[in-house]
Amino acid sequence: MSVPLTSIMISIRKAANQNDRLIQMSQQLLEKLNITNTQNLYLSLGKTIVSTNIQTMAMAENEIILPENITRSLHLPNQRYKFQAIYRSNTHTLKLGPVIALLTNFHINNEDPHFRTVHKFCEELHQVISKNGGFFYVFSYKDFSTKGFFFQNEKWIPAELPLPDVIYNRIHSRQLEQKIKYKQFRQQLELLMIPLFNDRFLSKLEVYEHLKKEVSLFSAIPETKIFSKENLYEFVQKYDTVFIKPIHGSQGKNILKISKHKDNSYFVQSSVKTGKEPFEKPFFLEELYQRLKPELQNRIYIIQQGVSLITKDLRPMDFRVLCHKHQPTRWEITSIIARVGAEQEIVSNLARGGTIMRPLEALINVMDIQKAKECLAQMKQLALEIAAGISTHSAGIIAELGIDIGVDSEGKPWLIEVNSKPSKSFTETQGKVRPSARAIVQFCTVLAFDENTEREIG
């Protein structure tokens, strides 16, 4: 981060009167923050600014005491806080923060909200932010600026809360992101200049089109086109294996795998398990399209080159590489796991019964240790290049990506797909804060305090 921050403890006192705007701090803190004028100081929290005066007094060096009427103006619940702070002399403003909000759609049971697959992750984010300094809450776009939920005494409490510095988008539904009211909410964020990441779901075709622009990545990306009769005929004659995937799909749902037999017939497998196999026999080319069409139900699909990837016990295996933006232009690997599909599945997704392994352990099942280490290093480098390529060519702020990579029999990594809202429903270290929580908080703090970043976003 390009700006030095100071950790501040905030205490709240009763106001002397309704016009009490006096904040109290030590002389040492005043000097540490480089505040030279104690009159008419602006105090900023999230997107709210209030006018105050400063009184210096003998007290703990890194503590500020605020009157209740100021915290009410800031929409802060009445409790003790730890914040990061910076004084900006050009505007005579003391900025406290970061205020980070997570946007999602959720339901409420017996007055208690449940944030679905990110519920546990929200607690982890609260834990990291409270420890580092800042304020975190969860909200629905329909309640923006009127109600959010903050964590206190092991419960999520509803309240009117500060407008945030930055919003982390964990909307679960692509359809919801297309609704008029959601788009109106997005326009409101633009007017308030509140950055939102990850901006939205990315389609599989969009990802492919972005990465095609990166010459260095082209050999690691399976050929991909929109599904059509003509493209189906081209692909199944060109490749031994072809995948058909919904353009907006996730969690391995509704995927078809087409494999060519020696007699030029084609065997179709589906990731949909309904109890009755929809494709019981091989098909010849002229009947293949007619047989597939009812299964696709007039939805938009892509057709993709299949690559012969390494497996474990004949089960599909790939590697989920979680990448986060560390600074506005630099990506880092946060974690990597191997995923092994359930028996008789054509995908490795955990949502479809897959299991996880350590990546090096998975690789040494099929190659020697030195080759496995080289392959893992190549996989990480490929993931970083993919993340950088997508964020370069995509609109909005992309700061977190789950990149699925497969490895062929020669040890070469291949991109399988990219998830702009990677799952938070599992972890290798239950009961601990995941590295991804720390990475998200770190990036949000950059967005909240770095004036150069604010100008780029604005």
Side-chain angles (χ1 to χ4, degrees):
M1 185 175 301
S2 61
V3 290
L5 302 178
T6 302
S7 291
I8 302 288
M9 299 304 300
I10 301 291
S11 298
I12 301 171
R13 63 173 173 82
K14 288 191 177 297
N17 54 62
Q18 64 180 4
N19 298 316
D20 186 353
R21 316 297 282 178
L22 198 65
I23 68 174
Q24 299 163 320
M25 68 176 71
S26 67
Q27 182 65 34
Q28 296 96 316
L29 180 57
L30 193 76
E31 294 171 1
K32 187 174 184 179
L33 291 168
N34 293 316
I35 299 174
T36 55
N37 182 358
T38 60
Q39 299 300 308
N40 299 319
L41 173 81
Y42 293 105
L43 185 66
S44 167
L45 181 80
K47 292 299 178 179
T48 304
I49 300 175
V50 296
S51 177
T52 69
N53 293 317
I54 299 176
Q55 178 187 47
T56 57
M57 55 188 297
M59 55 187 291
E61 181 179 340
N62 275 35
E63 184 170 359
I64 293 177
I65 300 176
L66 302 179
E68 283 180 337
N69 53 355
I70 284 185
T71 56
R72 278 195 300 269
S73 297
L74 296 172
H75 302 296
L76 268 180
N78 200 343
Q79 62 183 35
R80 187 170 167 82
Y81 294 95
K82 180 180 180 181
F83 282 118
Q84 299 297 315
I86 187 169
Y87 174 66
R88 290 175 175 155
S89 57
N90 58 330
T91 58
H92 199 38
T93 301
L94 177 62
K95 178 171 178 57
L96 304 178
V99 179
I100 301 170
L102 183 143
L103 165 68
T104 190
N105 45 315
F106 54 90
H107 56 266
I108 297 178
N109 292 329
N110 299 322
E111 299 184 358
D112 291 327
H114 191 274
F115 308 130
R116 301 172 65 177
T117 58
V118 296
H119 191 88
K120 180 64 175 66
F121 194 68
C122 288
E123 293 183 16
E124 294 176 38
L125 289 171
H126 162 79
Q127 185 176 337
V128 175
I129 293 166
S130 297
K131 183 178 180 181
N132 291 356
F135 184 71
F136 173 75
Y137 66 92
V138 183
F139 75 101
S140 163
Y141 76 94
K142 294 178 181 178
D143 296 324
F144 178 62
S145 79
T146 60
K147 184 175 73 172
F149 291 85
F150 70 101
F151 200 61
Q152 185 182 64
N153 298 327
E154 304 301 315
K155 289 191 67 176
W156 290 98
I157 309 296
E160 183 179 356
L161 299 169
L163 286 175
D165 290 301
V166 58
I167 295 172
Y168 173 39
N169 180 7
R170 290 300 306 200
I171 288 286
H172 296 285
S173 165
R174 287 174 169 82
Q175 289 76 17
L176 193 153
E177 287 188 341
Q178 300 306 313
K179 290 185 179 294
I180 292 175
K181 288 187 176 180
Y182 180 80
K183 291 181 178 180
Q184 291 171 342
F185 158 74
R186 289 294 308 269
Q187 291 171 355
Q188 191 178 3
L189 294 188
E190 290 176 12
L191 290 173
L192 293 167
M193 294 181 63
I194 299 176
L196 175 79
F197 88 94
N198 277 345
D199 185 67
R200 59 194 163 80
F201 283 102
L202 300 174
S203 78
K204 291 177 173 60
L205 187 65
E206 183 180 4
V207 167
Y208 179 73
E209 292 297 330
H210 287 332
L211 296 180
K212 269 203 317 184
K213 299 170 185 174
E214 300 291 331
V215 177
S216 63
L217 294 174
F218 200 73
S219 64
I221 306 170
E223 185 179 4
T224 303
K225 291 184 178 181
I226 283 286
F227 177 83
S228 67
K229 184 176 182 178
E230 293 74 18
N231 290 338
L232 172 67
Y233 284 4
E234 176 194 346
F235 272 52
V236 296
Q237 293 178 84
K238 189 175 181 180
Y239 302 113
D240 291 336
T241 305
V242 167
F243 285 92
I244 299 172
K245 304 175 181 180
I247 193 170
H248 296 299
S250 62
Q251 299 183 330
K253 296 176 182 177
N254 303 313
I255 293 175
L256 299 174
K257 178 182 179 181
I258 303 173
S259 305
K260 185 188 295 185
H261 285 201
K262 291 181 179 179
D263 62 355
N264 285 326
S265 65
Y266 299 91
F267 186 72
V268 182
Q269 295 170 273
S270 172
S271 68
V272 179
K273 303 303 179 186
T274 60
K276 181 182 178 182
E277 176 55 57
F279 307 101
E280 295 178 349
K281 65 180 183 68
F283 303 95
F284 288 101
L285 184 60
E286 56 271 17
E287 60 183 326
L288 184 60
Y289 177 75
Q290 294 303 324
R291 188 61 191 85
L292 289 173
K293 194 174 179 181
E295 298 298 325
L296 305 185
Q297 299 177 345
N298 293 321
R299 295 174 182 167
I300 303 174
Y301 280 71
I302 60 165
I303 185 165
Q304 191 170 70
Q305 168 193 356
V307 179
S308 181
L309 302 175
I310 58 174
T311 61
K312 185 178 189 304
D313 302 326
L314 301 179
R315 292 183 288 168
M317 180 168 69
D318 65 20
F319 300 82
R320 163 60 64 89
V321 186
L322 192 57
C323 299
H324 287 90
K325 217 175 234 185
H326 184 69
Q327 294 287 347
T329 58
R330 190 172 87 243
W331 285 84
E332 291 188 350
I333 304 290
T334 307
S335 66
I336 178 169
I337 58 168
R339 306 185 302 180
V340 180
E343 288 187 12
Q344 299 184 343
E345 282 282 352
I346 63 172
V347 293
S348 64
N349 301 70
L350 303 186
R352 307 201 63 81
T355 56
I356 62 175
M357 294 179 65
R358 295 187 182 279
L360 204 56
E361 179 185 347
L363 288 170
I364 60 177
N365 279 303
V366 293
M367 59 185 74
D368 63 56
I369 183 68
Q370 185 57 38
K371 180 73 172 176
K373 289 180 178 179
E374 292 172 2
C375 180
L376 186 58
Q378 292 170 4
M379 205 183 304
K380 291 178 178 179
Q381 182 59 35
L382 175 61
L384 290 173
E385 291 179 16
I386 289 169
I390 290 172
S391 62
T392 296
H393 298 293
S394 297
I397 303 172
I398 306 292
E400 176 182 48
L401 294 169
I403 299 174
D404 297 339
I405 293 175
V407 176
D408 68 20
S409 57
E410 301 298 318
K412 175 189 172 182
W414 288 79
L415 172 66
I416 297 175
E417 65 182 48
V418 176
N419 193 324
S420 56
K421 296 184 185 180
S423 172
K424 301 298 181 184
S425 59
F426 70 94
T427 174
E428 290 182 279
T429 53
Q430 294 290 345
K432 297 182 180 179
V433 173
R434 279 165 275 194
S436 59
R438 294 189 177 90
I440 288 166
V441 172
Q442 190 275 338
F443 184 71
C444 284
T445 304
V446 170
L447 292 183
F449 283 99
D450 194 310
E451 288 186 287
N452 293 326
T453 303
E454 288 173 1
R455 283 195 291 271
E456 288 173 11
I457 292 165

